[in-house]
Amino acid sequence: NAGVTQTPKFQVLKTGQSMTLQCAQDMNHEYMSWYRQDPGMGLRLIHYSVGAGITDQGEVPNGYNVSRSTTEDFPLRLLSAAPSQTSVYFCASSSRGGEKLFFGSGTQLSVL
Amino acid sequence: LAKTTQPISMDSYEGQEVNITCSHNNIATNDYITWYQQFPSQGPRFIIQGYKTKVTNEVASLFIPADRKSSTLSLPRVSLSDTAVYYCLVGGPYSGSARQLTFGSGTQLTVLP
């Protein structure tokens, strides 16, 4: 049972480039979310989804897009990367929002 | 959204009991309180969850007073491997705040030999 899988683990981008961070879960969870964590800081919520076809903004949504076409996948798209988006990104899921969150291992992103 | 406040850091010695308190003054009726542990370069890991009074599992206890405006995570007999950042989260499956599960700044626990 893989749990929450994030790819890639590391990525370096140039300013202005776009890319997609992948997140997949195999636990049939309704709730999925994306967080970013800057060095020495807590986690900040970017976007979340309570089910396929339903997404909403979190605390820091600017510069990111998400979609939820299936229960399993919740990709995060950076539209035009900026140095301020250098961070570690975590995807999480739970059977329902507010219950036990399962986290992926994270994606370390550097924007030059 | 229920905002949480925790101490920034705490030190303890191996074998001691550690209590970390989280303040959440505007907790909603349907909100649960959940604690997570995070090691460097890893995602947070669930420790314990409760609604009121006391909850205990194999790794920790969670104490919640009647007014639910705070909660205390208790770690019995800590070891060096318990050095981590601890977060409390407030939200619930039936409340509006369930949708936005926001983390506070967390508490860095350092266990000394």
Side-chain angles (χ1 to χ4, degrees):
Chain A
N1 199 349
V4 180
T5 303
Q6 289 184 238
T7 56
K9 291 191 181 299
F10 302 95
Q11 183 70 49
V12 178
L13 293 177
K14 295 181 179 179
T15 297
Q17 286 185 316
S18 63
M19 80 157 295
T20 299
L21 279 61
Q22 302 291 343
C23 176
Q25 52 89 11
D26 60 0
M27 297 172 281
N28 200 32
H29 283 170
E30 296 175 0
Y31 184 93
M32 296 187 74
S33 54
W34 278 101
Y35 293 88
R36 61 174 287 175
Q37 186 170 36
D38 300 325
M41 306 284 286
L43 294 96
R44 291 186 291 171
L45 182 65
I46 305 172
H47 285 285
Y48 62 93
S49 168
V50 297
I54 306 170
T55 63
D56 209 342
Q57 297 181 349
E59 303 171 89
V60 288
N62 292 339
Y64 307 95
N65 270 357
V66 291
S67 60
R68 185 94 180 269
S69 56
T70 67
T71 299
E72 294 77 21
D73 300 300
F74 191 45
L76 178 71
R77 281 182 282 277
L78 279 69
L79 308 173
S80 178
S84 60
Q85 293 178 305
T86 293
S87 189
V88 179
Y89 292 83
F90 289 102
C91 178
S93 73
S94 73
S95 56
R96 290 181 298 181
E99 296 195 351
K100 178 179 178 180
L101 282 169
F102 293 80
F103 282 82
S105 56
T107 295
Q108 172 74 60
L109 176 68
S110 295
V111 182
L112 306 177
Chain B
L1 297 177
K3 178 178 170 59
T4 60
T5 304
Q6 302 174 233
I8 293 174
S9 64
M10 296 181 67
D11 290 342
S12 182
Y13 290 95
E14 281 192 290
Q16 290 188 331
E17 178 184 75
V18 170
N19 296 310
I20 305 174
T21 298
C22 180
S23 173
H24 28 80
N25 290 322
N26 59 340
I27 188 170
T29 301
N30 291 329
D31 284 345
Y32 283 73
I33 299 155
T34 311
W35 285 79
Y36 292 85
Q37 176 192 56
Q38 186 181 28
F39 297 112
S41 303
Q42 295 185 23
R45 184 177 69 173
F46 172 89
I47 301 174
I48 196 167
Q49 184 180 71
Y51 182 80
K52 62 180 179 180
T53 63
K54 177 183 174 182
V55 179
T56 298
N57 62 21
E58 62 276 8
V59 298
S61 294
L62 178 59
F63 298 92
I64 305 168
D67 67 5
R68 305 200 326 122
K69 292 184 183 300
S70 67
S71 58
T72 299
L73 173 72
S74 181
L75 304 172
R77 298 179 299 281
V78 294
S79 65
L80 296 177
S81 62
D82 292 317
T83 293
V85 179
Y86 292 82
Y87 296 95
C88 76
L89 223 69
V90 173
Y94 301 109
S95 72
S97 58
R99 293 171 170 251
Q100 285 215 27
L101 296 176
T102 55
F103 284 76
S105 55
T107 298
Q108 171 67 59
L109 172 65
T110 302
V111 180
L112 305 169

